[in-house]
Amino acid sequence: MKNLRFILLLAFIKVSISIIISTSYGKLNGKHVGEYHSFKHVPFAKPPIGELRFQKPETVELWNDVREAVDYGPACMSNSTWTKSPQKWVDEDCLHINIFTSNKCLKSKNCPVAVYIHGGELSFDSAVMFNDTFMFDTFVKRDVVLLVPAFRLGIFSHFVVEDQSIAPTNLALYDILKSFEFVKSEVHNFGGDNKKITVFGHSYGGTISSMLTFSTEINQDLSLFQKSVSMSGHQYFETLELHMERAQRFAKHANCLVDPKQAETMTRSEQDRLTMKCLQAKSGMELLRVQRSLEEAGYSDLKGVVLREPIFPKVKPMELWNSPNKIPMLTGCTKIEFDHEDEVIPLATVFGFDNPKECDEKYRKDLKEGTVGEQSSLKNYSKLVFADLVNHTDKTMAITVPTKIRVNKLLENGIPVYLYEFTYPKHAKHADDLYYIMGVHPFQEDENEIHLKKVYQDMFINFIKYGHPGDGFDRSNLEKSSYFDVYWNETTGERPQMRNDFEKKVMDYWLKDMMEFDRKITEEKKKSLEKPSLRYTKLDLSGSGMDQSSHLLFLIFMVLAVFIAGFFVGKCCSSRKDNLYVRLDGRNFETVKHFE
Ligand SMILES: *[C@@H]1O[C@H](CO)[C@@H](O)[C@H](O)[C@H]1NC(C)=O
Ligand SMILES: *[C@@H]1O[C@H](CO)[C@@H](O)[C@H](O)[C@H]1NC(C)=O
Ligand SMILES: *[C@@H]1O[C@H](CO)[C@@H](O)[C@H](O)[C@H]1NC(C)=O
Ligand SMILES: *[C@@H]1O[C@H](CO)[C@@H](O)[C@H](O)[C@H]1NC(C)=O
Ligand SMILES: *[C@@H]1O[C@H](CO)[C@@H](O)[C@H](O)[C@H]1NC(C)=O
């Protein structure tokens, strides 16, 4: 009898605490951990399978029964050796979002909201790889509703073709935007206020968070999100042509290219459509196998974002940062990031300089001369400057410099921005600091790191809740180039504090001197375009029957042709390097295979 009563009591407790939430699409049964609740494997789009493979995400269908939202679903398709966190369970039916909230938020219905975009370059990692304990601790315990959406990766988001009516470019971004629509319309059911949404990303997730913040083509009414956080993100847009080439290579290896004879009678679009149909007819696992075998052959390149309409404005890479939406930002990086990796990166190309070839040549030359000393071509610079530059690898600067470019652009436009640098040396590599927030890549915290964890959690959450990180972390100042130095030393009593001159020498070098150099080269090119044509028109070409203006046109044409040819030669010969391109987040780089 006593036992029975106990069992009944248990049953009662179970019923009373298992929470069922209604959404516009149907009911969800989540899981509780004390005061906290999670709802996992919640679809925000139709499964992108069959005819929907390579297409924009479609609105999810309603479900009738209560949907179980207790356990994580599969990760999106990936199988890469670039990451330390390979996903065990992958499936194409992966457009799900995971939601973390609390009794308090469910009651008040007005908690601020964070949407976390995972890293991995749109090639690996997932929305189901983080530690629940940490996410509850960082976000939910501090009354923030956290949502972690999935998005397609690799070939499943990178079948890039010229004609976007066949397959849209940047599918992963469409997935992310679709998840934001879900958040906007549903988050109140989970206790969140859809007027207080922060997009939050680390590494390539930070890159995406920045891109979405700066694109003038999306979120114009600020209804999708109102604040953004970008941790340790780089920025780089490879060309549409390169992405198309990669998709074609993939199709070839999947035996889906149109037979050359047949192709002769077809337009490019017709061929691409046939290729897509062929790829859609294969199983997802087969495509993943092809992708993996290409990676093993050295082509791990189905990743990244293309700067292309309609998600982005039609501008050059550097111009994207010129007109940010009015979205306050918290951004920064770690001191070391990738200083332990010596990969050579065409930085001027990455940063979007107008004359990348000349600028990168100059950089290599300066580095060489700087380390040897004496004859630096930048006479103003001492050896020390170059020591500092040398102290940071290309791969680190590929993060710190764009971070500062974005900060400057926001400040120039009068938008609040908070810049930090995590300088505690023991764990200041790329993604080390993510542990404090999301619990990945754990390590044993020392006496200082216990405090640093709290500093980190507080600064991000304060920003999400109140719009400023608090605790002495002020807005960055453009003139002073100020930033929050996140450091702690129990022995000396040192604490996090505002400092000036964020990575000064590196920034002076790239954002002052090199930009100036870039401008000069552009001017010189303009001049040399004018000069020879004048000279040439003086030569006697009268026999040719051309008049003066057609001489001029002919000349301009010739010069342009030479330039364009040079451009493409440069492209083709550098494409191999592109394959070697920065892998942010995958931390076991030693496994990387070099090509051929
Ligand atoms: C990933 O690729 C490896 C090597 O081909 C294979 O052994 C493994 O089963 C693949 N994993 C998945 C999830 O497809
Ligand atoms: C998540 O973090 C907690 C707290 O550090 C730890 O006890 C637990 O083992 C972690 N879970 C996983 C799956 O790593
Ligand atoms: C270059 O040197 C001059 C004279 O020492 C100094 O005034 C100026 O600030 C220096 N410029 C840079 C960019 O360091
Ligand atoms: C750069 O490295 C050198 C030694 O390689 C060191 O002496 C110097 O302090 C470092 N500079 C900075 C700013 O870390
Ligand atoms: C803290 O400061 C002491 C004294 O200057 C120094 O020896 C120690 O290395 C510092 N700890 C860290 C982790 O920077």
Side-chain angles (χ1 to χ4, degrees), residues 424-426 446 448 487-492 494:
Y424 190 73
K426 198 161 149 196
D446 69 20
N448 300 316
Y487 178 82
W488 195 289
N489 191 326
E490 281 288 281
T491 316
T492 60
E494 282 168 277

Side-chain angles (χ1 to χ4, degrees), residues 335 387-388 391:
K335 179 82 186 169
D388 268 18
N391 281 2

Side-chain angles (χ1 to χ4, degrees), residues 358-373 375-379 381-383 385-387 389-390 509-510 513-514 517:
E358 292 84 349
C359 292
D360 271 325
E361 269 169 14
K362 174 176 156 56
Y363 168 52
R364 299 292 153 209
K365 190 158 161 270
D366 286 345
L367 266 188
K368 220 165 143 194
E369 292 179 357
T371 47
V372 184
Q375 288 180 317
S376 164
S377 60
L378 281 174
K379 292 182 186 64
Y381 279 111
S382 65
K383 256 166 118 173
V385 179
F386 287 99
L389 276 181
V390 176
Y509 180 80
W510 283 106
D513 297 50
M514 192 61 93
F517 177 77

Side-chain angles (χ1 to χ4, degrees), residues 95-107:
L95 295 184
H96 309 129
I97 190 163
N98 306 293
I99 304 154
F100 302 85
T101 186
S102 66
N103 279 341
K104 198 170 160 191
C105 291
L106 287 170
K107 216 177 277 169

